[in-house]
Amino acid sequence: MSSSTAGEKTSWPEVVGLKVEEAKKIILKDKPDADIIVLPVGTPVPKDLLPDRVRIFVDTVAETPHVG
């Protein structure tokens, strides 16, 4: 079960393994005012708490990288 503060959802374990756009839709359904930020896994982030910020960390290469 996800964490909550005063009935508001604060985590979304159910989106693990989904595509970023699908995850964003689910998060925004629960928290329409979310400022969603997508970052590579391991990116250093400040420890400040912003109540509307939701970070999604990704680590999968979706397409073959190429020059051009």
Side-chain angles (χ1 to χ4, degrees):
M1 183 173 215
S2 61
S3 304
S4 65
T5 302
E8 183 176 291
K9 200 164 181 181
T10 59
S11 67
W12 292 264
E14 68 273 20
V15 306
V16 173
L18 297 180
K19 293 181 179 181
V20 171
E21 291 307 314
E22 293 175 65
K24 284 182 177 182
K25 286 179 186 176
I26 291 169
I27 294 167
L28 288 170
K29 182 179 176 188
D30 292 331
K31 187 171 181 57
D33 62 337
D35 176 19
I36 300 174
I37 301 168
V38 181
L39 300 164
V41 169
T43 300
V45 295
K47 295 190 181 218
D48 62 332
L49 176 64
L50 298 178
D52 295 333
R53 179 178 59 208
V54 177
R55 295 181 180 124
I56 298 176
F57 292 94
V58 296
D59 69 350
T60 303
V61 177
E63 294 183 13
T64 304
H66 56 45
V67 174

